[in-house]
Amino acid sequence: MYNINIFLTYSVIGFFYECIINYIQDDKFRSGFMYGPWTPIYGIGVLIILFIYKKLSKYSKTKRLILMSILSMLILTILEYITGNLIEIVFHTSFWDYSNFKFNICKYISLESSLIWLIGSIIIIFIHNKLDKYIKKIPNTITYIISTIFIIDLVLSIIRISFSK
């Protein structure tokens, strides 16, 4: 339940982060492909960041943070590349395109977005230390309800994408 709560919490935080960034850049206030206020790649990303951070516990705090941020950047950049290509193959659409970034590789990754993952992973560690006590207090019933809504949203969103092309 704890990891599901982490996933859902950071999927929502990621949704609002992207809404703000999209609004600043494009004047559109939207994120992701789902109906609800969540962007799952952020929930997955944070779970990966926290897993890496935990696995590096034998190192000093500074070395641990440096290693975690570099590993997170590499792994999450690869995940972003694979996810973008899979979405294009399966659904014949793209949800993001970094072609207009100066240092892009293909259209799904760029140096700029990788650096955001690097900096974001460090920020996540500090944010998570503050949010963790609240995440642990989320009742199982709430987790079941929100997870059910999330799954329904995911299925409906996939159906919509599948039939829109």
Side-chain angles (χ1 to χ4, degrees), residues 6 22 27 33 36 44 60 63 66 90 101 104 115 124 131 133 152:
I6 290 173
N22 288 340
D27 202 28
F33 69 98
I44 293 166
S60 69
K63 190 171 186 179
I66 291 168
V90 173
F101 285 61
N104 74 78
L115 291 174
I124 288 301
L131 284 180
K133 61 184 170 190
I152 291 168

Side-chain angles (χ1 to χ4, degrees), residues 143-158:
T143 304
Y144 289 129
I145 292 168
I146 294 173
S147 296
T148 302
I149 293 168
F150 176 86
I151 291 167
I152 291 168
D153 185 350
L154 180 63
V155 170
L156 292 174
S157 298
I158 289 172

Side-chain angles (χ1 to χ4, degrees), residues 66-145:
I66 291 168
L67 286 170
M68 178 276 308
S69 60
I70 292 168
L71 285 170
S72 295
M73 177 191 70
L74 293 171
I75 292 168
L76 295 173
T77 297
I78 291 167
L79 177 64
E80 194 167 29
Y81 179 77
I82 291 168
T83 303
N85 281 293
L86 279 174
I87 289 168
E88 188 170 356
I89 290 166
V90 173
F91 298 112
H92 310 289
T93 191
S94 297
F95 293 124
W96 69 93
D97 186 344
Y98 296 135
S99 297
N100 61 336
F101 285 61
K102 186 174 182 179
F103 300 104
N104 74 78
I105 302 169
C106 304
K107 68 181 187 182
Y108 295 117
I109 57 174
S110 69
L111 178 60
E112 297 92 337
S113 63
S114 294
L115 291 174
I116 289 170
W117 280 120
L118 183 133
I119 294 164
S121 66
I122 295 167
I123 293 168
I124 288 301
I125 295 304
F126 293 107
I127 289 173
H128 188 71
N129 286 336
K130 304 290 183 213
L131 284 180
D132 193 46
K133 61 184 170 190
Y134 300 108
I135 292 171
K136 287 178 178 174
K137 291 181 181 179
I138 298 172
N140 287 348
T141 306
I142 299 296
T143 304
Y144 289 129
I145 292 168

